[in-house]
Amino acid sequence: MKLFKMTAHELHEMLRRKEVSSVEITESVLRRIEEVEPKVHAFITVTADLAMEQARQAAARWEKGDGGPLTGIPLVIKDLICTQGVPTTCGSRILQNYVPTYDATVTAKLKAAGAVLVGKANMDEFAMGSSTENSFYGPTRNPWDLGKIPGGSSGGSAAAVAAGECIASLGSDTGGSIRQPASCCGIVGMKPTYGRVSRYGLVAFASSLDQIGPFARDVWDTALLLNAICGHEPLDSTSVDLPVPDYTRALENDVKGMTLGIPKECFGQGLDPEVESAVRRAIQILERLGAQTVEVSLPMSDYALAVYYIIAPAEASSNLARYDGVKYGFRAKGNHDLMEMYKETRSQGFGAEVKRRIMLGTYALSSGYYDAYYLKASQVRTLIRQDFEKAFAACDALLTPTAPTPAFKLGEKVDDPLQMYLSDIFTIPCNLAGLPGLSLPCGYSKEGLPIGLQILANHFQEEKILRVAHTFEQNTEFHLRQPAL
Ligand code: GLN
């Protein structure tokens, strides 16, 4: 088996037994990047020299007997998570030359764990999108079919794992941007509970929704990454001060005694028949493995998309006001007064989707409209959260499709924002309620494209999700398939 195709826990075993060195693993991944990156374009920046240096440091740690689960494991970080000395562009022209002077909390934690950073992943500009086509640096392609989108906005992070250009990665999820690309690329992706992972050093899109989380080839690696990145950060007032369990202890091969809720609203109009049958088969598999299932209802989820497209743009319009060409980032040339400089910088620096969101958000927040839009959306958001509370009174976790369709064609939805927004219809309610959610592969379409199963649980019940996901994975083989490329 090639090193770049393996999981972190498999590599860890080999490192522990001194059958391989972290330098060899990193070299294998860097060669793979050279080979497939021209086709996939998962990266905005490849940090080969830094990676080799970190690999040598990891090797030294292993020599001293000081290797942990991620020591010497090549990872990729989405390009909106700050990395000291390494460009962090957010997929935007406006931050093309931005090199952070500090590490995000998660970056610092991964470094402390001895992980090797091979690069920064491509993404939709400021995480706005579902296909990675909104990147200023050009789209990423789906490793399963280069004519298809990898999902978004963390499409680069997902494609890099699927293509063997790293072992695991980090993304961010505001409305589905970890789970939907994981589903499109046939890997595991998890959005933790809001507050579980610090957002310090994560460039903000919609602060009340954003959360960082892992992509990996299996549930075990997902748990290892969670162990590394979760925890309280005093520099982030929204990070929660709760002890971090060892998530690998939740990895049982057993769902007996668990009740899984099936929200009836998720199986209606607009759901691709192949996705529906794969998800229904997955539910049967879990029933056969001993889980009870009950039908539940999330009636307010009908409004989730509408609520999200008020709240997310409103928060974005405020968060993105700081990019004005003054302190850092891109500045348009040849302007003589301040207003002109602001206008030109923002006109040239932002792409179409970002401008659309800034305009939507500014409008929704403007005086006279605030009550009708933002306030109303916030009220409905509470009702959505209450739907979940009721559902979780009757079950331990919920099962739904992750996305309504498998990966679609590049270019298919770029000119139709509303169609693009519908890609997140099953993932967005979870962000609005601040819940944890995971997507894992549960089937393939006739065309050979991966299909994802979404598992949701109540706040801070990541362990229940991991238990269901691991049991499913241990008893099926969907996660073992890899794209031919
Ligand atoms: N696709 C959704 C959007 O465009 C969600 C993005 C995300 O989770 N960052 O806003």
Side-chain angles (χ1 to χ4, degrees):
M1 176 85 138
K2 301 220 167 62
L3 294 173
F4 64 79
K5 289 194 170 178
M6 299 178 70
T7 63
H9 59 91
E10 288 164 348
L11 291 168
H12 176 78
E13 265 312 294
M14 293 176 72
L15 283 161
R16 216 174 46 81
R17 289 195 239 112
K18 300 202 189 315
E19 290 166 8
V20 71
S21 77
S22 41
V23 171
E24 287 165 321
I25 297 171
T26 302
E27 282 169 347
S28 162
V29 166
L30 291 174
R31 272 197 305 274
R32 176 68 171 177
I33 294 174
E34 261 177 48
E35 180 193 339
V36 301
E37 183 57 8
K39 294 188 242 180
V40 179
H41 187 44
F43 289 80
I44 294 179
T45 307
V46 176
T47 52
D49 294 343
L50 173 70
M52 286 310 296
E53 191 189 311
Q54 291 176 335
R56 284 189 288 269
Q57 287 166 8
R61 272 178 74 164
W62 276 109
E63 281 298 313
K64 279 193 293 175
D66 178 31
L70 296 179
T71 310
I73 304 297
L75 304 179
V76 164
I77 294 181
K78 187 177 181 179
D79 211 21
L80 48 30
I81 295 174
C82 286
T83 41
Q84 183 177 14
V86 177
T88 298
T89 69
C90 293
S92 181
R93 184 181 189 194
I94 213 152
L95 287 175
Q96 191 167 21
N97 57 11
Y98 174 55
V99 181
T101 55
Y102 71 108
D103 277 328
T105 304
V106 293
T107 307
K109 282 179 182 278
L110 291 180
K111 280 187 181 171
V116 170
L117 178 69
V118 291
K120 300 298 293 290
N122 196 17
M123 53 179 285
D124 284 300
E125 186 176 6
F126 285 102
M128 298 174 188
S130 304
S131 67
T132 320
E133 292 167 294
N134 294 335
S135 170
F136 174 69
Y137 305 92
T140 296
R141 291 165 182 275
N142 191 316
W144 294 87
D145 175 346
L146 297 169
K148 299 271 171 20
I149 57 110
S153 64
S154 313
S157 302
V161 173
E165 297 180 271
C166 62
I167 306 303
S169 65
L170 293 186
S172 68
D173 191 313
T174 304
S177 280
I178 292 176
R179 290 159 287 155
Q180 184 257 8
S183 169
C184 290
C185 290
I187 58 170
V188 182
M190 184 163 200
K191 174 217 172 283
T193 306
Y194 184 79
R196 183 75 282 194
V197 178
S198 168
R199 293 183 298 111
Y200 179 71
L202 167 71
V203 177
F205 161 14
S207 313
S208 76
L209 300 160
D210 299 341
Q211 189 63 189
I212 296 171
F215 286 99
R217 297 206 173 106
D218 66 10
V219 176
W220 193 339
D221 276 10
T222 305
L224 289 176
L225 274 155
L226 279 185
N227 282 352
I229 62 173
C230 288
H232 180 234
E233 165 61 73
L235 295 169
D236 171 2
S237 61
T238 61
S239 101
V240 175
D241 193 1
L242 277 178
V244 182
D246 174 359
Y247 288 107
T248 61
R249 303 190 68 168
L251 303 180
E252 286 179 50
N253 181 4
D254 187 9
V255 284
K256 289 191 195 77
M258 288 186 94
T259 307
L260 304 176
I262 317 298
K264 62 172 190 237
E265 290 81 3
C266 295
F267 292 87
Q269 208 196 352
L271 182 61
D272 179 284
E274 286 189 288
V275 174
E276 169 153 11
S277 60
V279 172
R280 290 211 187 271
R281 254 180 283 127
I283 295 169
Q284 282 165 9
I285 291 171
L286 285 162
E287 283 171 339
R288 234 180 293 132
L289 292 168
Q292 298 257 13
T293 54
V294 286
E295 188 179 89
V296 295
S297 176
L298 301 170
M300 288 295 156
S301 55
D302 273 2
Y303 304 104
L305 216 57
V307 166
Y308 175 87
Y309 279 98
I310 298 289
I311 290 179
E315 294 183 13
S317 72
S318 163
N319 279 324
L320 270 55
R322 70 191 73 173
Y323 307 107
D324 57 7
V326 176
K327 291 202 193 67
Y328 54 90
F330 170 78
R331 175 186 290 187
K333 295 206 172 58
N335 299 293
H336 301 297
D337 72 65
L338 186 65
M339 288 314 284
E340 198 187 330
M341 192 281 286
Y342 284 157
K343 218 164 93 186
E344 279 304 309
T345 295
R346 288 168 68 82
S347 302
Q348 296 171 25
F350 290 134
E353 183 63 28
V354 175
K355 287 178 189 159
R356 180 160 33 241
R357 305 272 179 120
I358 292 173
M359 287 189 283
L360 276 171
T362 307
Y363 180 81
L365 290 177
S366 53
S367 127
Y369 293 107
Y370 179 90
D371 287 1
Y373 294 111
Y374 190 80
L375 190 68
K376 184 59 80 187
S378 302
Q379 289 164 335
V380 180
R381 182 178 186 174
T382 303
L383 298 178
I384 290 171
R385 214 189 51 227
Q386 288 171 351
D387 268 2
F388 280 111
E389 274 163 24
K390 273 181 225 142
F392 287 126
C395 64
D396 296 294
L398 299 171
L399 303 176
T400 81
T402 304
T405 65
F408 47 88
K409 285 202 204 66
L410 279 153
E412 190 178 322
K413 301 190 180 174
V414 272
D415 297 321
D416 191 345
L418 290 182
Q419 275 305 315
M420 188 73 90
Y421 296 171
L422 281 168
S423 312
D424 297 308
I425 188 142
F426 302 129
T427 47
I428 276 176
C430 157
N431 299 75
L432 291 169
L435 299 168
L438 173 146
S439 177
L440 87 168
C442 73
Y444 291 83
S445 71
K446 283 199 281 298
E447 263 189 280
L449 293 168
I451 294 169
L453 170 72
Q454 179 175 238
I455 309 169
L456 305 174
N458 216 338
H459 299 110
F460 300 101
Q461 299 198 341
E462 280 80 2
E463 287 151 295
K464 282 190 181 165
I465 295 179
L466 292 169
R467 177 171 164 196
V468 176
H470 190 66
T471 304
F472 184 78
E473 201 179 70
Q474 291 303 297
N475 293 281
T476 55
E477 294 193 338
F478 303 112
H479 64 295
L480 298 177
R481 253 198 243 184
Q482 298 198 347
L485 258 187

